Every structure is written in C-alpha cells, then in structure tokens.
Amino acid sequence: MPRVTIVEAFRVSLPLVHAFQTSSHRKSHLEHILVRVEDEDGGAGWGEIASPSDPYYCPETVDICRLTLERYLAPALLGASWDHPVEVGARWARIRGHHFAKAGLDIACWDLWSRAAGMPLARALGGDRPDIAAGVSLGIEPTVDDLLAQAGRYAEEGYPRIKLKIAPGWDVEPVRAVRDAHPGLDLHVDANGAYTEDQYEVFATLDRFDLTMIEQPYAPGALAAHARLQSRLGTDVCLDESVDDLDQLDTAMELGAGRILNIKVSRMGGLTPASAAHDRAVEGGWRVWCGGMHEFGVGRAANVAIAALPGFTLPSDVSGSDKYYAHDVVDPPIRATRGRVPVPAGPGLGHAVDEELVRRSATETLRMKAG
Ligand code: OSB
Ligand code: MG
C-alpha cells in the first residue's frame, strides 16, 4: 500500500527544435513542471504538468499549476495511503478544475505503482498494443511553401496522419495546398476555437477536402454551435478544449456536438479520468484518439501508455521526441518509426528519467514532505 511522503517539483524549460504557432500563440521554448513522488519504501514515480505558460489554450498556466500543486494538491496526497492509483483522485476531488496540475501528480502515482508492480503502465491501464500510430501536428507557418515543406518531410518519414493548425486567414488556402500535394493523406485541421458561427462558410469549403476531422472549430463552451455545425457537415467534428470532464462529454454526446473526442491526459486531469473518458466516449459511439501538449518525455510516455487502450482507433498526436526537442529528459527518448511508437515493455512509464539533467536544469525546485 503506497504512502507518498515526498513530492518534488522541477520547473524545466526546453527549446523547441521548430517554433510552433497556433491560432492563439507562438512558442519557441516550452516550460513544464516535472513531478517526482516518493513513497515510504523508497519507491518513486514521475509525472509531468504540461500546462502552457500563458492562458490561451486553457486557464491554467505554469505559475498557477505550481501554486496549486504546492498549496492544495501535494498536501492532499502527502501521507495518504492508497492501494491503487485510481484512488488518488479522490484526495483532490473537492478541488475544482486545475486538471493539468492534477494530471502531473496522477501520472506520477500511476508510474510509482506500476513500477512497484513490475508492470508496464500501458498494461496497468488495460492497454495491450505493442505500438501506437503516431500523427504529427503542424503549426501555422510563415508561408504555404514552408508548410508544404513540413508536411512533405513528415509524410516522407511515414507518419500516417498530419494535422494542420488553422486560424482565420490561414485555412482554406494552406489546407487546399497540402491536400493537393498529398491526395491520399489522412489529413485533419485544428482551429483551437478560433472561429464563430458566422464564419460557417470556411467549414463548408473545408468539408470538400476529405478531411478526417475538424477539431475544435468554435469556442470551448459553444457546444450547441458545434452541434449545429456537425449537422451541416459531412466531415466529423472533433472536440478538444470543449471537454474537460465526463459531464461535458455526456452533454456533447447528447447534443451531437461532434463525433470524435481528442483525449488529453492533461486536459482531463490525469490517466484515471482520461481512461474513463475513453470508455464513456466509445460506449457513446464516438471515436477517440490521444492528443498532446508537446510533452517532454515523461508526459509523452504517459500518452503512449494510454494510447495503447483498445478504443484509441485514430492516430495520436504522440510523435517522436525529436520532432520537438533536441535533448529530451528521458532515456531512451521516445521514437517513432514509420509513424509508429513502440509501447515500452518495462515497468512504469518504461523510460528512465535523466534525473541529474532535471535537477541541474530546473529553474525552480519544490520539495514537500508529509508532516
Ligand atoms: O490543440 O491539440 C492542441 C499544442 C498545444 C496546445 C494545443 C494543442 C497542441 C497540439 C500539439 O496540437 C500536439 C502535439 O503534442 O504535437
Ligand atoms: Mg486541439
């Protein structure tokens, strides 16, 4: 029965190999918080808080997560005994929201438990695939030619699916260009909520490009608008920012606000709620896939593990570390070969954390102990 007695948190910033721009922001570095938990038997587990630095994708930011972790979440976990990681969420159930921060601790507890059990995290979650299909997500580029170069490169590397970020002014033209260059490619677009219903014509046009899905066209709360859009389009609508919990998922399914769910471990608040969302969505007849937040190796390994669940039938956003970071925090780094990422067979996350690197490069370290 684990009892976590030490929680450590490390703020680490890594440079991106290639700057990434969405409808709302541009990034050349990412700062995440790596979380380490240790139990009284000396067992340890790692997690990652992959929130953005600024509140454009979601309200949580790195600063807010750090504060929530220190003031509420770590104190709720420290000293509590539990048998299985599905139980730890109950410790912070009365804390509303703050899913990214919760996810960091949840992942660390799953890693600790599955390592102690000598079991791969994927198997602990109920996954049984030897590898997962990985897609890439391409940001908004300075020119259509730059985008075509990126798309060409990843199609060449064998990634089976490419997602393009779109925004007003960067939609029909770049999507048409990539579609013309890659007629058979599994292609989808992600607007990160940048459109309103009066811009319907853009989607009516995109509907003719044989896209696998249109991800989060409207604002997160606009479920009724998404339902009206879905009823007018042949292309499946996929929700990302709109669904943070099972109640929102139920509402979305009841309204017909889409047909596909992007499940992110961070957005849902950890592996436990993310796998519950997987079960619920599949039961409701929606298709699901595993999205990402440009995670470092720890969070990325957690994404690989959950993407091994049987309902994840569409390619994930979990590309190899090398698409993002020249030097990742885990060894070996996460690698994709011809668009597939192996699910590790070793215990826990299945990738060793370069602890020396994390400790040395952290710009801030917190250490909290059971009282
Ligand atoms: O909407 O899926 C998104 C990255 C940051 C914020 C939001 C999103 C994304 C991605 C990245 O698309 C996917 C990845 O990790 O490659
Ligand atoms: Mg998205």
Side-chain angles (χ1 to χ4, degrees):
M1 179 176 286
R3 198 171 79 90
V4 171
T5 50
I6 298 172
V7 172
E8 290 177 291
F10 307 90
R11 274 176 94 133
V12 174
S13 175
L14 293 181
L16 281 168
V17 170
H18 186 83
F20 190 82
Q21 182 165 342
T22 70
S23 57
S24 63
H25 62 289
R26 181 175 179 81
K27 298 302 294 181
S28 59
H29 283 70
L30 287 196
E31 183 184 38
H32 289 171
I33 302 176
L34 293 163
V35 179
R36 182 177 176 277
V37 298
E38 189 176 315
D39 72 7
E40 54 194 347
D41 306 321
W46 285 86
E48 179 171 336
I49 300 177
S51 75
S53 296
D54 306 299
Y56 306 137
Y57 168 82
C58 63
E60 280 182 280
T61 66
V62 179
D63 291 315
I64 291 165
C65 288
R66 178 221 174 281
L67 183 79
T68 309
L69 179 70
E70 183 181 36
R71 197 173 295 177
Y72 298 103
L73 299 177
L77 178 69
L78 282 165
S81 296
W82 42 276
D83 284 318
H84 191 276
V86 294
E87 294 161 31
V88 299
R91 304 292 310 168
W92 51 73
R94 72 195 181 103
I95 299 162
R96 294 208 199 271
H98 298 286
H99 286 184
F100 279 71
K102 288 173 179 174
L105 266 190
D106 164 285
I107 295 166
C109 290
W110 273 97
D111 182 37
L112 174 120
W113 184 87
S114 49
R115 268 181 215 269
M119 193 190 289
L121 177 57
R123 180 137 46 85
L125 291 164
D128 54 2
R129 296 206 174 114
D131 58 11
I132 61 158
V136 289
S137 170
L138 301 183
I140 293 168
E141 292 287 332
T143 68
V144 171
D145 281 343
D146 291 318
L147 179 67
L148 283 169
Q150 289 286 314
R153 173 183 159 193
Y154 289 109
E156 182 84 5
E157 283 183 27
Y159 281 101
R161 182 275 275 160
I162 291 181
K163 143 171 155 181
L164 307 178
K165 291 289 182 182
I166 58 166
W170 179 267
D171 41 41
V172 173
E173 193 201 345
V175 176
R176 176 179 287 130
V178 174
R179 175 46 90 212
D180 286 349
H182 303 275
L185 184 70
D186 176 349
L187 188 64
H188 97 240
V189 296
D190 183 3
N192 288 106
Y195 293 82
T196 51
E197 254 188 312
D198 56 349
Q199 291 161 306
Y200 165 74
E201 280 310 319
V202 171
F203 300 107
T205 306
L206 293 176
D207 203 26
R208 292 185 230 123
F209 293 148
D210 192 24
L211 302 175
T212 313
M213 69 189 94
I214 295 173
E215 180 176 343
Q216 200 67 45
Y218 300 148
L223 287 177
H226 282 98
R228 286 188 288 272
L229 180 66
Q230 181 64 92
S231 71
R232 297 176 75 179
L233 295 182
T235 309
D236 289 342
V237 170
C238 168
L239 298 181
D240 174 353
E241 288 93 324
S242 284
V243 177
D244 287 338
D245 58 39
L246 293 183
D247 291 326
Q248 291 166 343
L249 175 58
D250 285 340
T251 307
M253 292 197 299
E254 197 162 317
L255 288 173
R259 297 182 193 128
I260 297 180
L261 180 64
N262 169 344
I263 296 180
K264 291 185 183 174
V265 174
S266 298
R267 197 191 71 234
M268 301 305 302
L271 290 160
T272 300
S275 64
H278 157 278
D279 297 350
R280 185 78 64 94
V282 169
E283 207 178 274
W286 280 34
R287 293 192 293 165
V288 303
W289 56 285
C290 178
M293 292 300 299
H294 294 160
E295 283 85 354
F296 301 170
V298 171
R300 192 168 294 276
N303 293 343
V304 171
I306 200 166
L309 292 182
F312 285 100
T313 51
L314 292 160
S316 66
D317 262 349
V318 191
S319 5
S321 304
D322 58 340
K323 175 176 182 285
Y324 306 91
Y325 306 107
H327 193 119
D328 203 346
V329 298
V330 297
D331 188 28
I334 288 152
R335 288 204 185 86
T337 311
R338 306 301 302 162
R340 302 202 71 88
V341 176
V343 177
L349 290 167
H351 291 260
V353 176
D354 186 342
E355 196 165 328
E356 204 271 321
L357 172 77
V358 170
R359 289 185 188 276
R360 180 163 42 83
S361 56
T363 54
E364 185 188 7
T365 300
L366 296 178
R367 186 180 164 91
M368 292 156 282
K369 294 181 74 163

